[in-house]
């Protein structure tokens, strides 16, 4: 008998503290599998965000450090410049990357830092129990937009991938989802490509992953998957947004 | 026949694997684990073809498949 599907070496045996149905655990596994497949576990340094994934250092079996809220791209810049032979990636949510950390995100991308960013977009602040995020959809009910997000009051959901695509410093930008096995496998390919871009020293890569947040969306797990497919994917279309390696 | 090991203590009963299984061969157990969740179980191990879709969607990496 052969082991076909199993926990990758780059994941520890620690139980995830995430809510039932959350997409974070899936993405943790994908990152770990990609790192195992590329054989870079001993030289990878991850940077965990502030948000639901704040305990990511407990779940990954390689070096992980923690940054202040929104600052992982700045910390990653420092680590990568000082230790250019290491593989450096940040793992950030939408509150961390697109709200408080937007300045760091844009400038790291604009400088074309040779780092990889894994961006989890669940359109809400999960850890603090469901406030409106910059990526919350119009009309979306959150604790800070109880009547639904109003564009006049709170602006429009930010498409981070498309925004960064205009910057010359970015090399590879893609958007994926983890609502179904098919999309999970596509997400793994995109994450692998993003790490390969860094290993080839081609510059900044970011993979945005649409994730469900059933408890804060006040939905059952199947409802939240439908919401990802019908609403989130309309606002945030899946696919490769920019790939300079092909030009 | 594939061997499917489900770590009952890790399962949070989110049902993602139940939705992903093309053979509809996974269900929630009547029993609950230490975390207080109804964990999942395979209905008929003979029907499983080890496609691994349940593994792909499991957020808690609670499923291991041998063949």
């Amino acid at each position: 008998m052969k082991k076909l599907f199993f926990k990758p070496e780059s994941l520890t045996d620690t139980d995830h503290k995430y809510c039932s149905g959350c997409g974070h655990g899936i993405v943790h596994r994908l990152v770990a599998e990609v790192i195992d497949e590329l054989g870079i576990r001993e030289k990878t340094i991850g940077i965990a965000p502030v948000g639901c994934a704040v305990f990511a250092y407990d779940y990954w079996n390689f070096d992980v450090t923690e940054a202040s809220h929104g600052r992982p791209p700045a910390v990653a810049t420092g680590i990568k410049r000082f230790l250019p032979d290491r593989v450096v990636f940040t793992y950030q949510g939408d509150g961390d990357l697109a709200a408080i950390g937007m300045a760091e995100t844009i400038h790291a991308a604009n400088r074309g830092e040779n780092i990889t960013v894994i961006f989890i977009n669940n359109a809400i602040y999960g850890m603090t129990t469901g406030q409106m995020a910059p990526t919350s959809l119009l009309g979306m009910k959150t604790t800070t937009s109880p009547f639904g997000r109003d564009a006049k009051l709170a602006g429009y959901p930010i498409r981070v991938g498309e925004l960064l695509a205009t910057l010359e410093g970015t090399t590879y930008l893609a958007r994926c989802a983890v609502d179904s096995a098919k999309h999970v496998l596509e997400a793994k390919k995109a994450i692998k490509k993003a790490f390969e871009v860094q290993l080839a020293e081609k510059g900044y890569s970011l993979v945005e992953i649409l994730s469900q947040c059933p408890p804060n969306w006040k939905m059952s797990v199947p409802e939240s998957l439908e919401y990802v497919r019908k609403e989130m994917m309309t606002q945030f279309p899946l696919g490769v947004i920019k790939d300079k390696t092909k030009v | 026949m594939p061997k499917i090991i489900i770590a009952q203590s890790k399962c949070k009963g989110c049902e993602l694997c139940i939705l992903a299984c093309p053979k509809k061969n996974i269900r929630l157990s009547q029993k609950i684990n230490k975390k207080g969740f109804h964990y999942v179980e395979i209905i008929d191990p003979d029907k499983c073809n080890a496609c691994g879709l349940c593994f792909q969607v499991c957020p808690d990496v609670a499923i291991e498949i041998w063949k």
Side-chain angles (χ1 to χ4, degrees):
Chain A
M1 260 196 160
K2 216 178 105 197
K3 231 183 199 182
L4 282 185
F5 301 97
F6 52 91
K7 180 180 77 62
E9 195 191 357
S10 290
L11 271 190
T12 64
D13 210 28
T14 312
D15 288 2
H16 295 160
K17 292 187 180 78
Y18 300 117
C19 310
S20 177
C22 173
H24 269 300
I26 303 175
V27 184
H28 283 7
R29 195 199 86 237
L30 294 180
V31 170
E33 280 185 351
V34 165
I35 286 170
D36 280 4
E37 283 170 22
L38 294 172
I40 52 174
R41 193 174 74 82
E42 293 289 334
K43 60 170 186 175
T44 296
I45 301 174
I47 294 130
V50 171
C52 292
V54 69
F55 295 121
Y57 50 76
D58 277 344
Y59 310 140
W60 278 319
N61 189 16
F62 45 77
D63 290 341
V64 183
T65 184
E66 183 68 58
S68 316
H69 200 9
R71 317 302 180 225
V75 175
T77 300
I79 295 175
K80 186 71 185 180
R81 286 188 177 195
F82 196 70
L83 300 167
D85 60 323
R86 308 300 159 90
V87 179
V88 181
F89 78 96
T90 73
Y91 184 100
Q92 301 174 263
D94 45 359
D96 192 85
L97 183 142
I100 191 165
M102 193 52 133
E104 281 77 7
T105 297
I106 287 188
H107 287 290
N110 191 42
R111 291 191 305 268
E113 296 293 344
N114 192 25
I115 57 170
T116 300
V117 178
I118 309 295
F119 169 36
I120 306 296
N121 180 0
N122 57 10
I124 206 157
Y125 278 81
M127 186 179 75
T128 48
T129 65
Q131 290 79 10
M132 180 171 58
T135 44
S136 295
L137 305 183
L138 288 181
M140 194 170 176
K141 285 183 182 172
T142 68
T143 54
T144 45
S145 61
F147 307 107
R149 181 175 186 165
D150 178 2
K152 277 185 187 163
L153 201 66
Y156 297 87
I158 298 176
R159 293 188 186 96
V160 174
E162 283 81 349
L163 182 74
L164 297 181
T166 62
L167 303 173
E168 284 171 42
T170 53
T171 304
Y172 179 75
L173 306 166
R175 189 180 287 119
C176 313
V178 287
D179 64 300
S180 63
K182 177 173 168 270
H183 285 148
V184 169
L185 291 166
E186 285 171 5
K188 185 177 169 183
K189 271 187 200 157
I191 293 171
K192 194 165 189 177
K193 169 86 180 171
F195 276 97
E196 284 167 350
V197 165
Q198 183 181 162
L199 285 167
E201 296 184 8
K202 286 184 176 159
Y204 185 94
S205 51
L206 176 141
V207 181
E208 174 175 344
I209 295 157
L210 305 182
S211 170
Q212 58 277 9
C213 183
N216 287 312
W217 291 356
K218 314 270 186 289
M219 291 178 193
S220 68
V221 173
E223 282 168 358
S224 73
L225 297 179
E226 271 310 297
Y227 190 81
V228 171
R229 287 169 196 149
K230 286 203 176 129
E231 310 290 335
M232 297 253 313
M233 287 183 196
T234 314
Q235 176 67 25
F236 305 109
L238 302 187
V240 177
I241 299 161
K242 181 178 178 181
D243 188 356
K244 249 181 12 187
T245 60
K246 280 190 180 158
V247 182
Chain B
M1 189 177 88
K3 189 167 98 183
I4 306 109
I5 303 166
I6 296 173
Q8 295 171 352
S9 64
K10 281 186 179 283
C11 179
K12 297 192 189 117
C14 68
E15 305 182 35
L16 285 175
C17 57
I18 297 178
L19 296 167
C21 181
K23 305 233 171 206
K24 306 272 171 256
N25 198 21
I26 310 176
R27 69 177 171 211
L28 278 185
S29 168
Q30 292 295 316
K31 295 177 191 154
I32 57 170
N33 61 13
K34 275 186 187 165
K35 289 194 179 112
F37 292 109
H38 288 275
Y39 52 83
V40 295
E41 58 188 15
I42 302 288
I43 300 168
D44 179 5
D46 290 330
K47 253 171 76 182
C48 175
N49 62 357
C51 70
L53 295 187
C54 54
F55 171 88
Q56 295 299 342
V57 296
C58 179
D60 295 286
V61 205
I63 303 171
E64 190 176 288
I65 303 171
W66 294 66
K67 194 177 181 182

